[in-house]
Amino acid sequence: MTRDPHDIVKVASGEIVQIQLYQQVVSEAGIESKVVGLALEASFGSALSNSIELWVHQMDAEKAIAAIRLYEDERVQKEEHHKHPHPKNDAKPGQVTHGKEPHVKQDPLGE
């Protein structure tokens, strides 16, 4: 079966950094892709949200979407793993009195 070069579909849209990451993910999965909308980003900046799109051949769409989902799942797991929650059951430490020292007599003989 030959591929029609015009038989392409959008698999993701978003900010430029996110879409470039997705393009790398699908590329590593062996899928050819094209980023569309870079001219809009250059003209309008971030005024048009989700204006950058990632397109792949229709035959590769399911594989590309699966690769992107796997990447997102792994990213979320890494973020959750690196969170450091505050202790909830431990008692708070007692107050420290700063600047107060025990009284010491100035007389070296102790009188």
Side-chain angles (χ1 to χ4, degrees):
M1 179 179 213
T2 60
R3 290 182 173 219
D4 179 2
H6 302 291
D7 195 12
I8 58 173
V9 293
K10 178 177 69 171
V11 292
S13 64
E15 303 297 323
I16 187 167
V17 174
Q18 177 187 28
I19 297 303
Q20 287 176 335
L21 284 172
Y22 289 170
Q23 184 180 32
Q24 182 178 352
V25 167
V26 298
S27 175
E28 290 173 359
I31 302 168
E32 187 178 346
S33 63
K34 176 80 175 170
V35 174
V36 179
L38 295 174
L40 290 172
E41 181 77 12
S43 298
F44 297 104
S46 60
L48 301 173
S49 63
N50 297 330
S51 61
I52 309 298
E53 300 173 342
L54 182 64
W55 291 71
V56 300
H57 193 272
Q58 185 175 11
M59 292 176 66
D60 297 324
E62 287 183 34
K63 186 177 175 184
I65 292 169
I68 291 170
R69 285 185 181 148
L70 179 63
Y71 165 78
E72 284 296 328
D73 289 345
E74 289 174 353
R75 184 184 63 80
V76 168
Q77 287 177 358
K78 285 180 184 177
E79 284 180 6
E80 289 175 357
H81 182 270
H82 290 298
K83 288 183 180 176
H84 300 287
H86 294 282
K88 296 179 181 168
N89 296 335
D90 296 341
K92 293 184 179 180
Q95 287 187 330
V96 177
T97 55
H98 296 286
K100 291 189 175 182
E101 297 179 12
H103 178 69
V104 178
K105 291 186 177 181
Q106 297 296 323
D107 184 9
L109 299 174
E111 296 177 7

